[in-house]
Amino acid sequence: MDYDENNIFARILRGELPCEKLYEDAFALAFPDINPQAPCHVLVIPKGKYISMADFGAQASPEEITGFFRAVSLVAKRLGVEESGYRLLANAGPDSMQQVPHFHVHIIGGKRLGHLLAPP
Ligand code: 5GP
């Protein structure tokens, strides 16, 4: 599967669609999820064109991988959920119902989340 240049997050990265930038560096951009599932629900996306975790893990450079995950942990800290705790979630592929085919991590927190998966 080829990377879809017109997926929503690609368009956000190009500045064609708005987002509230919470954090940005050379490797990552973070912004609130448009449909939050918890008091804190933020998306962190890599700047590079990767479809999924599998694509990112296989194709991204060590600098991109390190930079991205450092950004994720920094964003969680800045959001104030490091002490209270949070969940990282990355959907990949059809069974996960991944909606946007640009690799992203959800940072979810700000309340007691319950145990792992909600019923479909
Ligand atoms: P996925 O199911 O692919 O893991 O998650 C995609 C997430 O992107 C969903 O939680 C959805 O609410 C969010 N989303 C979809 N479109 C937009 C948008 O235009 N702006 C923002 N901020 N979030 C979006």
Side-chain angles (χ1 to χ4, degrees):
M1 183 171 133
D2 291 333
Y3 180 81
D4 172 8
E5 297 281 352
N6 285 318
N7 77 74
I8 289 167
F9 296 166
R11 298 187 64 202
I12 285 175
L13 280 171
R14 290 198 296 269
E16 295 168 8
L17 292 175
C19 77
E20 182 195 341
K21 287 184 186 177
L22 298 176
Y23 177 83
E24 183 173 23
D25 65 18
F27 300 104
L29 174 66
F31 49 90
D33 195 292
I34 204 169
N35 183 23
Q37 304 296 307
C40 170
H41 187 170
V42 167
L43 301 170
V44 190
I45 69 175
K47 291 271 177 90
K49 298 173 183 177
Y50 302 103
I51 297 170
S52 64
M53 181 66 219
D55 190 24
F56 187 66
Q59 306 296 337
S61 68
E63 290 77 16
E64 286 177 292
I65 293 171
T66 304
F68 176 73
F69 283 105
R70 280 203 198 287
V72 172
S73 59
L74 186 61
V75 169
K77 188 179 181 70
R78 289 192 182 179
L79 290 168
V81 292
E82 194 172 79
E83 292 293 317
S84 53
Y86 59 92
R87 183 167 295 155
L88 281 190
L89 193 149
N91 290 315
D95 274 357
S96 75
M97 302 181 73
Q98 179 181 0
Q99 294 169 13
V100 181
H102 180 111
F103 173 51
H104 52 281
V105 169
H106 300 247
I107 299 175
I108 301 168
K111 71 167 189 179
R112 208 78 168 164
L113 292 172
H115 195 253
L116 284 177
L117 302 174

